[in-house]
Amino acid sequence: MSELLTIENIDVCYGNIKALSGVSMHVDQGDIVCLIGANGAGKSTLLKSIVGLEGLTNGQICFDGEVICQAKKVKHTTDQIAKMGISLVPEGRRVFADMTVEENLDMGAFMVRDQNVIAKKKEEMFDFFPILGARRKQKTRSLSGGEQQMMAIARALMSSPRMILLDEPGLGLAPLIIQDIFNKIALINKQDKVTIFLVEQNARMALKASNKGYVMENGKIVLADKASNLLTNEKVKAAYLGE
Ligand code: ATP
């Protein structure tokens, strides 16, 4: 498999605080990879730096062989990075609550000009997430947490990305709903060949859904392995799986 996303030795600082330190990792084309870690470990900071919302003080990030962010040099805007094929799925409640489901999906297609393409893509999303089709004219705030998360995923898929970055897709949701969402993520990966990178505090669900996993502590990658190995790793079991 070829590397689609390559993160090389990056540091990210907020003022004097180093939030990420010497982080290196990669995601292969077609893979599902997760990053687990406790609250405040630096997971969201990493996602923000991939989409150009935080600058690097050291290192670089490449997508499909092209540098998208390099310390003190190259820095593409979030729009440019989206056009290259990376779509961020923010945590489920960060949707436009006063817009309808359909209007939210239109926002996801902001860089698609052809209205026919947008209409077709929306119907695809409504087939894939029937609950969103049934609620297409409703204000998003009336949706449950799980439905809002599904809408956030559908919105990210509107631009037909090559890769989606998911920020805590399970946050605040019941285990059965999280399972539904992870089932959908697996289908998106398998059927649409979208590469998946997800960040989660729910380590067990994330590792079960992934092929490979990274563990982050205090802004550093401390473990990287096949997800199945991490699920049986004693340190991971004690620190993240509650065993
Ligand atoms: P969570 O699961 O709570 O979102 P996280 O693993 O995503 O945690 P980050 O949000 O990336 O962690 O935070 C990493 C560190 O950087 C934390 O110590 C946090 O307090 C700090 N931090 C994050 N954003 C900022 C900011 N805008 N300004 C200053 N410090 C920040």
Side-chain angles (χ1 to χ4, degrees):
M1 280 198 279
S2 62
E3 278 184 28
L4 189 59
L5 180 75
T6 312
I7 296 171
E8 293 172 51
N9 199 27
I10 67 165
D11 291 351
V12 175
C13 296
Y14 296 110
N16 292 331
I17 303 164
K18 210 177 209 186
L20 296 182
S21 182
V23 170
S24 293
M25 55 193 298
H26 68 269
V27 180
D28 287 334
Q29 170 107 36
D31 213 356
I32 305 186
V33 175
C34 69
L35 172 69
I36 60 172
N39 225 299
K43 306 180 301 298
S44 299
T45 302
L46 180 70
L47 290 189
K48 285 185 203 156
S49 35
I50 297 170
V51 297
L53 293 171
E54 294 295 346
L56 312 180
T57 49
N58 192 39
Q60 64 176 20
I61 301 177
C62 300
F63 183 66
D64 203 16
E66 192 177 331
V67 176
I68 54 172
C69 194
Q70 192 175 45
K72 298 170 196 113
K73 286 185 190 152
V74 187
K75 191 173 179 303
H76 287 314
T77 63
T78 304
D79 275 13
Q80 286 167 333
I81 291 168
K83 281 193 184 116
M84 292 167 84
I86 303 183
S87 203
L88 175 67
V89 182
E91 180 262 301
R93 273 169 298 238
R94 271 182 275 152
V95 290
F96 301 107
D98 286 322
M99 289 183 172
T100 65
V101 168
E102 196 159 7
E103 286 164 347
N104 262 283
L105 295 195
D106 287 336
M107 297 291 288
F110 72 95
M111 56 192 181
V112 184
R113 292 260 156 81
D114 187 335
Q115 290 303 316
N116 292 328
V117 172
I118 296 175
K120 186 164 169 275
K121 199 75 201 172
K122 266 195 290 200
E123 290 313 317
E124 263 176 56
M125 289 303 125
F126 293 146
D127 283 347
F128 190 65
F129 297 106
I131 191 73
L132 298 183
R135 308 257 170 116
R136 62 201 285 167
K137 300 287 179 206
Q138 287 183 22
K139 288 250 163 64
T140 301
R141 68 166 72 255
S142 71
L143 268 53
S144 70
E147 290 160 1
Q148 291 191 20
Q149 182 62 58
M150 291 195 190
M151 204 203 63
I153 296 173
R155 189 176 62 185
L157 292 172
M158 286 296 292
S159 57
S160 304
R162 294 176 65 190
M163 176 172 204
I164 54 175
L165 311 177
L166 291 126
D167 194 358
E168 308 245 10
L171 190 72
L173 303 176
L176 276 178
I177 310 286
I178 302 179
Q179 193 54 60
D180 271 359
I181 286 168
F182 277 116
N183 291 344
K184 288 291 189 194
I185 293 169
L187 277 175
I188 292 162
N189 172 253
K190 210 170 164 191
Q191 292 175 356
D192 303 339
K193 311 276 179 257
V194 178
T195 304
I196 312 275
F197 179 48
L198 67 100
V199 157
E200 253 299 340
Q201 277 190 54
N202 188 327
R204 188 184 309 277
M205 289 275 198
L207 289 169
K208 281 188 175 163
S210 304
N211 301 317
K212 189 174 168 191
Y214 288 89
V215 181
M216 181 174 268
E217 281 172 11
N218 298 321
K220 292 190 173 124
I221 299 294
V222 293
L223 271 174
D225 206 339
K226 277 187 183 171
S228 54
N229 290 343
L230 291 177
L231 276 166
T232 54
N233 177 297
E234 291 306 324
K235 187 170 179 280
V236 174
K237 277 171 36 180
Y240 299 101
L241 303 176
E243 290 180 20

